[in-house]
Amino acid sequence: MRLNIHLQYPKSEKINFLKQRRLLGLTFGILFFLTSCDHKVVYQQTLPFENENWEYDRLLKFDFSIADTVQTYDIVLTLDHSGQYRYQNVYTNIRTTFPNGENVDQVVSLQLSDGKGRWLGNCRGNSCTIELNLQKGIKFPLIGQYSIGLEQHSRDSTLEGILSVALSIFYAD
């Protein structure tokens, strides 16, 4: 005579156990994703614009510290704009201030459109987000406090439809 023993959870406990397993798996997945992404971020800051307008006299300033001059870094600018932004680009003046006080200015055109009316980047609803690589694989020459300043350098004193600008610095792969 064979005795078959089946261990069965009551139905409600079985469902709760499955939910707990899924939740635990999802939690570990999210934690893994967040920790694998965050260890590469050196600096990140987003500056929003009130009323979706970037005034000519508003300087965006990003201050960060660099402790390693051997490491290579990527600098990424993320710009959010509305679908009603009137131009295909944004002219900016970018000023980098080094720990020794030296400044380097550069006028940069940030392309938002392909010139045929199609926005670059990721658009949802009435807003678009575009990531622009400012520098890839660079080494900072000095240890210390840096500052990157952005000012809009366009012909209009107010750029309507700019939602926010973010600067991110990552360890290069």
Side-chain angles (χ1 to χ4, degrees):
M1 178 181 206
R2 250 174 46 183
L3 187 60
N4 289 332
I5 299 176
H6 296 283
L7 294 176
Q8 270 190 320
Y9 290 106
K11 198 171 193 170
S12 63
E13 288 181 25
K14 188 174 184 179
I15 292 170
N16 286 338
F17 176 72
L18 290 175
K19 284 183 181 178
Q20 288 174 349
R21 271 184 75 185
R22 285 186 189 142
L23 183 61
L24 187 61
L26 181 63
T27 302
F28 280 121
I30 290 171
L31 285 174
F32 175 76
F33 175 75
L34 291 176
T35 56
S36 66
C37 292
D38 281 348
H39 80 276
K40 296 179 85 175
V41 176
V42 175
Y43 172 84
Q44 192 166 39
Q45 183 180 6
T46 301
L47 300 175
F49 293 100
E50 288 186 36
N51 303 319
E52 301 179 2
N53 293 326
W54 189 355
E55 302 292 336
Y56 189 81
D57 59 353
R58 177 162 181 208
L59 173 69
L60 306 181
K61 193 172 177 193
F62 302 95
D63 296 320
F64 57 95
S65 187
I66 295 295
D68 187 349
T69 59
V70 176
Q71 174 69 48
T72 56
Y73 301 90
D74 295 333
I75 303 175
V76 177
L77 189 73
T78 304
L79 191 139
D80 293 321
H81 64 90
S82 75
Q84 277 66 50
Y85 181 70
R86 296 181 0 201
Y87 304 107
Q88 66 182 1
N89 62 353
V90 176
Y91 283 102
T92 60
N93 184 49
I94 300 176
R95 172 175 280 188
T96 304
T97 302
F98 294 82
N100 63 2
E102 181 183 333
N103 293 312
V104 175
D105 289 333
Q106 184 176 9
V107 175
V108 177
S109 173
L110 306 174
Q111 278 308 119
L112 307 181
S113 166
D114 65 0
K116 296 179 183 176
R118 290 186 301 251
W119 294 117
L120 303 173
N122 191 6
C123 297
R124 290 192 179 162
N126 190 36
S127 67
C128 298
T129 300
I130 185 166
E131 289 186 354
L132 303 154
N133 291 315
L134 293 182
Q135 296 277 318
K136 287 189 70 66
I138 66 155
K139 292 183 180 183
F140 288 95
L142 302 170
I143 292 174
Q145 191 70 23
Y146 285 79
S147 178
I148 293 179
L150 253 79
E151 55 189 355
Q152 66 105 330
H153 205 64
S154 300
R155 60 191 112 147
D156 291 345
S157 62
T158 301
L159 291 180
E160 296 177 8
I162 304 294
L163 308 175
S164 66
V165 174
L167 185 79
S168 302
I169 300 173
F170 303 95
Y171 291 119
D173 291 332

